Amino acid sequence: MSARCPRCRQGALFSGLLDVNPECPSCGLDLRAHDAGDGPAIFVIFIVGALSVIGALSLEALFEPPYWLHFLIWPIVVIGLTLALLRPLKAKFVDIQYRRRSTAL
Ligand SMILES: [Zn+2]
């Protein structure tokens, strides 16, 4: 799941943290039509939500830490996982859209 152009695999896919370049700087592929929409965010919500709930319940059941420790740990875990997963998933969605549209034509 690289953040590279789905056609040439050379040009940068993103111009910012999550902004898709309007066109590939390497091969000129028009990337404006490949909008991932809310798809990556939904997957991140499901994955991070499940992992954080399972983690919080497991931590509580095993060690019974004070609640302030939960308030310290879980926001960091949730924000970290979200930032780690959102960009690669968005790149994968753009890649899948490019592949499916390219074969359909
Ligand atoms: Zn390219």
Side-chain angles (χ1 to χ4, degrees):
M1 287 189 261
S2 70
R4 294 288 168 195
C5 168
R7 181 165 68 186
C8 68
R9 304 280 181 206
Q10 300 296 317
L13 182 62
F14 296 107
S15 60
L17 180 63
L18 290 171
D19 295 328
V20 176
N21 268 330
E23 67 180 31
C24 173
S26 181
C27 70
L29 173 67
D30 185 5
L31 293 167
R32 286 174 291 196
H34 301 288
D35 181 19
D38 293 334
I42 296 297
F43 275 94
V44 168
I45 288 169
F46 285 148
I47 294 168
V48 173
L51 289 177
S52 60
V53 168
I54 291 169
L57 291 175
S58 299
L59 181 67
E60 182 62 30
L62 291 173
F63 302 107
E64 296 180 14
Y67 286 127
W68 66 263
L69 194 59
H70 282 286
F71 286 113
L72 186 70
I73 291 173
W74 297 111
I76 294 170
V77 170
V78 168
I79 292 170
L81 281 175
T82 300
L83 291 175
L85 289 176
L86 201 50
R87 194 174 158 111
L89 276 174
K90 191 167 186 174
K92 187 64 181 175
F93 267 64
V94 170
D95 186 60
I96 290 170
Q97 283 183 352
Y98 172 75
R99 303 256 171 253
R100 293 191 58 88
R101 287 184 184 162
S102 295
T103 57
L105 294 175

